[in-house]
Amino acid sequence: MPSIIGRIYLKCSPQYRQALSIIRKYFDRIVEQEQKKTEESIGERRTNLIASLINSLQENEKKETIKPTDKKKGLSHDEVFDEMLLFLVGSYETTSAALAWFIHLMSKNPRVQAKIKAELGDNKQHRLSIEQLESLEYLNCVIQEVLRFAPPSISTIRSVTIDDRLPASGIQLHKGDEIWINIFNLTRDKRYWKIDPDLFYPERFQSEDKDHHPYALIPFGSGHRQCIGQVLALLELKAIAVRLMQHVTFGDGGLEVNAGGFNAKGILIPKKIGVTITFD
Ligand code: HEM
């Protein structure tokens, strides 16, 4: 669909306009709070991401608008808003979808849960340090397998910058074309996985599929536009997975309610997830 139609559709949608106005109100509040904090702590450089974005707000937006692009300084109010919105949209649903898949897949694979718990050993009650989290090799394979089995972002897009041809098929690509890269299909393509890719099997990363094709698994994209939050996302996923496995065991809630399946409306989430929770 040409993007102009999408833009007209959104402009006419009352739901979209209402959602945008709510987010804008929150955004203005965050900017105000951050500016106040910066004023209160004069001399002390605030270094969090929101503070950095807000510090780069243009002092005189009207003056900057009329300058040529390469002479512009700082970011306009709208640009900072777009950046903050992208962090919200890009981070929240992806990470929560990965966690939903983790819970669903654990409930279906008691063997994997038992192995994670065994790896945690005596660390059943303690908060783990970042170094300890990183040393959990099996958990690392499980998280990788969750992101392979059900990559929250099923696709990404690249724009072609020069006329070119695909090497194997000779298909012509034109400058300006948009290429849709199907992250999900790559994770299930039997040409790139030695162990059946339709199987949830974390051990694949310790055995036959250890040296898989680098582009067969790109849940965070690749290249210079790859996900900016992937290190944070992996840390969050590991920390939460450990906390869950220290305290609870997930069980299958039944064939019907916990049927799984895929629901892909932008982000890939399980269609049916219903688990039992036993406190250990
Ligand atoms: C499991 C969690 C996440 C997944 C699966 C995920 C996936 C992705 C993917 C596939 C892309 C497109 C990359 C490309 O085209 O090469 C992307 C971009 C992006 N992600 Fe994530 N993401 C996750 C978490 C996060 C978090 C926690 C943040 C922020 C704190 C974040 C911020 C972004 C931003 C800002 C971009 C755009 C980067 C750019 O265009 O230069 N993501 N993410």
Side-chain angles (χ1 to χ4, degrees), residues 27 81 156 251 268-269:
F27 166 69
F81 174 72
T156 185
L268 193 72
I269 51 171

Side-chain angles (χ1 to χ4, degrees), residues 87 90-91 94-95 153 156 158 219-222 225-229 233:
F87 285 133
S91 64
T94 45
T95 315
S153 300
T156 185
R158 288 293 182 273
F220 296 107
S222 187
R225 294 299 296 272
Q226 61 186 274
C227 177
I228 202 170

Side-chain angles (χ1 to χ4, degrees), residues 1-269:
M1 181 171 66
S3 58
I4 181 85
I5 297 182
R7 261 182 266 148
I8 294 171
Y9 170 77
L10 288 178
K11 271 221 150 59
C12 301
S13 157
Q15 246 178 325
Y16 170 78
R17 288 212 310 272
Q18 193 195 2
L20 203 62
S21 110
I22 293 172
I23 298 173
R24 263 200 182 275
K25 254 185 236 159
Y26 276 107
F27 166 69
D28 288 340
R29 211 181 297 162
I30 293 172
V31 173
E32 209 178 290
Q33 277 171 2
E34 193 52 54
Q35 280 173 333
K36 216 188 260 170
K37 277 190 211 154
T38 312
E39 273 165 29
E40 280 164 11
S41 53
I42 300 253
E44 177 195 317
R45 203 162 154 253
R46 297 181 60 76
T47 51
N48 69 61
L49 182 61
I50 303 283
S52 310
L53 281 171
I54 290 165
N55 282 341
S56 66
L57 269 172
Q58 292 162 347
E59 273 171 29
N60 188 338
E61 226 175 289
K62 273 192 193 145
K63 219 168 105 189
E64 295 297 330
T65 321
I66 50 172
K67 287 186 188 168
T69 316
D70 57 334
K71 296 273 175 313
K72 278 186 186 156
K73 283 202 182 123
L75 296 172
S76 70
H77 205 260
D78 279 352
E79 284 166 340
V80 172
F81 174 72
D82 285 348
E83 290 296 329
M84 285 168 72
L85 194 57
L86 184 62
F87 285 133
L88 184 71
V89 174
S91 64
Y92 178 74
E93 236 185 310
T94 45
T95 315
S96 58
L99 274 174
W101 279 109
F102 173 80
I103 291 170
H104 171 70
L105 290 164
M106 289 308 100
S107 77
K108 292 280 182 194
N109 294 276
R111 180 191 67 84
V112 175
Q113 274 190 97
K115 254 180 114 167
I116 300 177
K117 286 172 189 287
E119 187 176 48
L120 288 173
D122 294 336
N123 286 317
K124 287 254 157 48
Q125 297 299 328
H126 313 117
R127 276 167 201 272
L128 302 192
S129 65
I130 290 182
E131 291 72 30
Q132 281 170 315
L133 280 179
E134 273 164 8
S135 72
L136 299 169
E137 270 174 42
Y138 186 66
L139 179 75
N140 203 28
C141 294
V142 175
I143 301 288
Q144 278 210 67
E145 182 67 342
V146 170
L147 294 171
R148 185 200 66 80
F149 190 83
S153 300
I154 52 170
S155 64
T156 185
I157 294 175
R158 288 293 182 273
S159 305
V160 178
T161 53
I162 50 163
D163 289 344
D164 205 351
R165 272 182 193 281
L166 289 184
S169 61
I171 289 174
Q172 176 73 47
L173 303 176
H174 299 281
K175 185 179 171 184
D177 282 351
E178 297 222 309
I179 308 289
W180 194 62
I181 301 162
N182 194 318
I183 296 174
F184 180 84
N185 283 7
L186 288 166
T187 66
R188 296 302 180 101
D189 194 323
K190 292 198 165 53
R191 288 173 297 177
Y192 306 127
W193 300 96
K194 294 191 179 113
I195 298 171
D196 181 3
D198 291 328
L199 208 68
F200 178 79
Y201 187 63
E203 287 79 0
R204 71 173 69 244
F205 294 109
Q206 293 170 324
S207 54
E208 280 100 315
D209 284 325
K210 198 175 171 188
D211 302 314
H212 61 81
H213 191 291
Y215 291 115
L217 185 60
I218 48 166
F220 296 107
S222 187
H224 67 282
R225 294 299 296 272
Q226 61 186 274
C227 177
I228 202 170
Q230 58 189 287
V231 176
L232 172 66
L234 287 172
L235 182 66
E236 280 178 333
L237 288 173
K238 276 187 211 161
I240 298 172
V242 162
R243 229 39 198 148
L244 288 171
M245 290 295 99
Q246 280 175 327
H247 295 286
V248 300
T249 301
F250 295 110
D252 196 345
L255 227 52
E256 187 63 28
V257 285
N258 200 28
F262 300 99
N263 203 345
K265 286 184 184 162
I267 300 295
L268 193 72
I269 51 171

